[in-house]
Amino acid sequence: MSSELFINVSPSEIVIALIEDKRIVELTREKSGTKFAVGDIYLGKVKKIMPGLNATFVDVGYEKDAFLHYLDMGPQFATLNKFVQNVTSRKGRTTPTTRIHPEVDIDKNGKITKIIRSGQEVMVQVAKEPISTKGPRLTSELSIAGRYMVLVPFSEKVSVSQKIRTVEERNRLKKLIQSIKPRNYGVIIRTASEGKRVADLDQELQRLVHKWESVLPKLKKVRAPGLVLGELSRTTALLRDIYTPDFSSITINDYAVYEEVSEYIAGIAPEKKKTVKFYDKKAPMFDASGIDKQIKALFGKTVTFKSGAYLIIEHTEAFHVIDVNSGNRAKAANDQETNALEVNIAACEEVARQLRLRDMGGIIVIDFIDMHESENRHKVYNKMKEVMAVDRTKHHILPLSKFCLMQITRQRVRPEESIDTSEVCPACKGTGKVTPTILFADEIESKVDYIFSDLDHKRIEIQVHPFVEAFLKKGFLSILRKWRWKYMKKIEVVGIDNIALLEARFFDDSTEEIIF
């Protein structure tokens, strides 16, 4: 399976598309300057303790207080609390993590009122980003993720990913890490560490320890609520989690991000540095690669997938509902049971793709086409488990009920990816009436005249539908050439597939869109 990554950078956001076998399977959008991302570590202040919930609300600087449950504090909370008090006291030298004497683990069945008080400063990490009307979800069991392992300060436990199946390899990695890790640090060994040399693992372990130790000087200066340690950028974090040598290319349209990713890939897989490519063509990258077209087809309410069959996807506050419909397949010559089984099997693949693509979390209910034989229901259940195995997000799948309903729970750590694929007609602006098409070229020229005369730009790029592009460039004495002679300025006309027939967009020499 070939994998490609496209990273589209604009002034307002970064959009990352993961392509597998020419089909988009994951889409991540990150607004510029995003805060409270999963993995960020904050020094917060306890605002309100809720004994009935055995939880507390913590001020970490977000508009709504964040939620911290007793069970998310971790057994080493007392040691962490001692560490925070030691560092924030700002008196004398700070004791390194390796020299701190661990406190007794807190009782997992204890009460929050016995270990925390209102107004207390606590060190917390974002476990779930703000979603809808809720603030961030927090944990005090801090961790710092790397490519091969996750470092857990104030713990001594070493655990190995369940995805590493070989007993010999699991034992090798566990003994290796136990022999090189510093005191007061726990480690979770990730799947990517399978088969790695001790030098590679030791190098990353030292880097993660150094990253944690860099918290000390920051913690001395920061005032609650404040950010202590930020997670990597979404781009680098995604690469850390999904990158494999199977990646055939990573294409980026921003040179600064290109250099950042090139440096990261050179550090973890030097032989693959050439797979990172800088996109510098005029046509928008997502449009040229066909990603925009796939997004338009996959983010609507109705999604077709095979031989006329389709899904209808609805979202509610409580859960997501996916309805499987056979469409034109109902006319097939097969009997009803066989036809239903074939459509349901095919639907499993598209449902698994949609869950990853939209990052749907919480409870998902899938209404498959009715099947009367329990053997067939079991086949669909097994197929769903098979196609969901590649999903990195934690999930749990229940067998089909006799009504052919399947329930899936999928961990939700950030808002669902939602893109409105419907558009207001750019020609009529929703009125149902357009200006005469014969005047469209004159309308474009009037805007060109305004840009050069009033806004004093030296160069513009006009993006139009390919049909309009062909019309403006037709012949030796084309309309475009006449404009260039008239204004004696550089004018480029580019045809874009996802622009409406009577729509035109104007961009200055720094590729910023000119809004009228």
Side-chain angles (χ1 to χ4, degrees):
M1 179 177 63
S2 64
S3 298
E4 300 173 90
L5 200 66
F6 289 86
I7 303 174
N8 187 53
V9 182
S10 66
S12 60
E13 66 178 1
I14 297 178
V15 184
I16 306 168
L18 175 61
I19 310 295
E20 293 178 355
D21 294 334
K22 305 299 181 182
R23 301 167 71 235
I24 182 171
V25 294
E26 288 189 29
L27 187 72
T28 304
R29 303 162 73 93
E30 180 181 16
K31 297 290 183 183
S32 299
T34 299
K35 297 181 179 179
F36 308 101
V38 172
D40 287 350
I41 297 177
Y42 286 84
L43 182 65
K45 182 172 286 189
V46 177
K47 298 293 288 185
K48 186 186 296 183
I49 298 175
M50 309 293 288
L53 298 175
N54 206 19
T56 181
F57 286 97
V58 181
D59 180 12
V60 291
Y62 186 67
E63 58 189 32
K64 292 192 174 183
D65 291 338
F67 183 79
L68 175 64
H69 194 273
Y70 181 87
L71 296 177
D72 294 323
M73 288 182 167
Q76 301 89 25
F77 180 79
T79 307
L80 175 64
N81 193 37
K82 177 182 176 181
F83 168 80
V84 172
Q85 291 177 351
N86 177 270
V87 176
T88 56
S89 63
R90 302 174 181 86
K91 295 178 182 178
R93 297 180 62 184
T94 304
T95 306
T97 304
T98 53
R99 296 184 181 177
I100 288 182
H101 181 71
E103 298 291 312
V104 178
D105 289 355
I106 64 172
D107 181 7
K108 65 178 181 180
N109 296 317
K111 299 295 182 182
I112 196 167
T113 51
K114 293 185 178 180
I115 64 169
I116 209 169
R117 67 182 187 281
S118 182
Q120 178 179 334
E121 292 185 349
V122 290
M123 202 169 179
V124 290
Q125 187 169 30
V126 177
K128 183 185 290 187
E129 294 177 11
I131 297 174
S132 185
T133 59
K134 300 176 182 178
R137 177 80 182 249
L138 305 176
T139 177
S140 285
E141 197 163 11
L142 309 182
S143 61
I144 302 176
R147 176 160 173 74
Y148 302 130
M149 65 190 73
V150 178
L151 187 71
V152 185
F154 310 113
S155 174
E156 291 290 348
K157 186 177 179 181
V158 176
S159 55
V160 185
S161 168
Q162 294 295 324
K163 292 183 180 180
I164 299 178
R165 303 292 185 184
T166 311
V167 176
E168 292 79 5
E169 180 64 6
R170 292 172 62 86
N171 292 336
R172 181 187 78 88
L173 290 170
K174 190 167 186 176
K175 289 178 181 178
L176 193 156
I177 294 298
Q178 284 175 333
S179 66
I180 63 175
K181 78 172 187 67
R183 182 174 175 268
N184 281 345
Y185 285 105
V187 174
I188 302 170
I189 302 170
R190 305 186 72 175
T191 311
S193 63
E194 189 171 8
K196 297 300 176 182
R197 301 175 304 157
V198 62
D200 296 330
L201 299 176
D202 184 61
Q203 183 181 13
E204 179 164 275
L205 179 61
Q206 297 305 320
R207 183 178 62 81
L208 294 177
V209 170
H210 176 74
K211 187 175 181 180
W212 167 253
E213 295 293 346
S214 70
V215 165
L216 298 177
K218 295 178 183 177
L219 196 55
K220 268 187 171 294
K221 298 175 183 177
V222 74
R223 299 283 180 178
L227 179 66
V228 175
L229 183 65
E231 173 63 292
L232 298 170
S233 68
R234 186 68 60 86
T235 306
T236 310
L238 185 67
L239 279 173
R240 179 194 65 200
D241 293 339
I242 71 171
Y243 183 79
T244 69
D246 295 333
F247 267 54
S248 58
S249 68
I250 301 173
T251 309
I252 308 162
N253 69 342
D254 181 86
Y255 196 75
V257 177
Y258 164 76
E259 288 190 318
E260 176 191 341
V261 172
S262 295
E263 183 180 349
Y264 180 78
I265 296 298
I268 63 172
E271 71 283 0
K272 288 289 185 177
K273 186 178 179 180
K274 291 183 179 179
T275 61
V276 184
K277 302 172 183 177
F278 176 59
Y279 183 88
D280 57 356
K281 298 178 182 178
K282 290 184 178 179
M285 182 173 66
F286 275 16
D287 187 58
S289 58
I291 295 175
D292 267 339
K293 185 177 180 180
Q294 289 197 53
I295 291 174
K296 294 288 186 183
L298 293 169
F299 273 91
K301 177 180 176 180
T302 302
V303 179
T304 58
F305 60 92
K306 188 176 182 180
S307 303
Y310 60 95
L311 306 177
I312 295 179
I313 304 175
E314 298 274 9
H315 309 283
T316 72
E317 188 69 23
F319 53 85
H320 310 276
V321 181
I322 301 177
D323 184 32
V324 179
N325 292 274
S326 60
N328 296 334
R329 284 296 301 268
K331 300 176 183 178
N334 296 331
D335 64 88
Q336 182 179 352
E337 185 77 8
T338 304
N339 185 60
L341 176 62
E342 290 178 358
V343 173
N344 288 340
I345 290 290
C348 289
E349 295 186 8
E350 188 58 39
V351 168
R353 180 188 181 193
Q354 287 290 329
L355 296 186
R356 292 175 65 191
L357 185 62
R358 304 188 188 210
D359 201 10
M360 293 162 62
I363 300 173
I364 301 106
V365 178
I366 307 165
D367 182 9
F368 285 100
I369 300 173
D370 286 345
M371 296 177 295
H372 300 293
E373 297 181 16
S374 59
E375 181 184 354
N376 289 337
R377 293 198 291 269
H378 194 66
K379 287 180 181 178
V380 173
Y381 171 61
N382 287 336
K383 179 65 176 179
M384 183 60 79
K385 288 198 298 182
E386 176 190 332
V387 294
M388 287 288 288
V390 296
D391 193 342
R392 302 186 313 277
T393 304
K394 292 180 181 178
H395 59 271
H396 183 66
I397 305 171
L398 294 181
L400 277 75
S401 70
K402 69 176 183 177
F403 301 115
C404 277
L405 295 176
M406 175 184 285
Q407 298 176 64
I408 298 177
T409 59
R410 190 172 183 271
Q411 186 181 26
R412 178 167 57 178
V413 296
R414 54 180 57 94
E416 175 201 346
E417 194 60 58
S418 178
I419 298 176
D420 186 3
T421 56
S422 62
E423 300 174 352
V424 174
C425 174
C428 71
K429 303 296 187 293
T431 64
K433 297 180 180 180
V434 298
T435 55
T437 53
I438 196 171
L439 301 179
F440 185 54
D442 295 337
E443 185 181 325
I444 294 177
E445 186 185 359
S446 69
K447 292 181 179 179
V448 170
D449 183 75
Y450 171 75
I451 290 170
F452 288 140
S453 302
D454 293 34
L455 302 183
D456 199 30
H457 285 292
K458 306 300 181 188
R459 174 189 177 279
I460 61 170
E461 177 184 296
I462 308 172
Q463 294 183 359
V464 294
H465 191 277
F467 290 174
V468 178
E469 177 197 19
F471 173 73
L472 296 177
K473 292 180 176 179
K474 181 182 178 182
F476 177 75
L477 293 175
S478 65
I479 294 174
L480 175 60
R481 183 161 291 184
K482 290 177 182 177
W483 289 349
R484 288 171 175 167
W485 287 344
K486 179 178 180 180
Y487 297 102
M488 299 303 291
K489 300 288 177 71
K490 190 170 183 180
I491 306 172
E492 296 290 339
V493 173
V494 180
I496 305 295
D497 288 333
N498 66 351
I499 285 184
L501 184 62
L502 297 181
E503 181 184 10
R505 299 173 187 165
F506 300 81
F507 296 84
D508 60 21
D509 49 8
S510 60
T511 68
E512 290 287 332
E513 185 172 2
I514 302 169
I515 306 297
F516 292 92

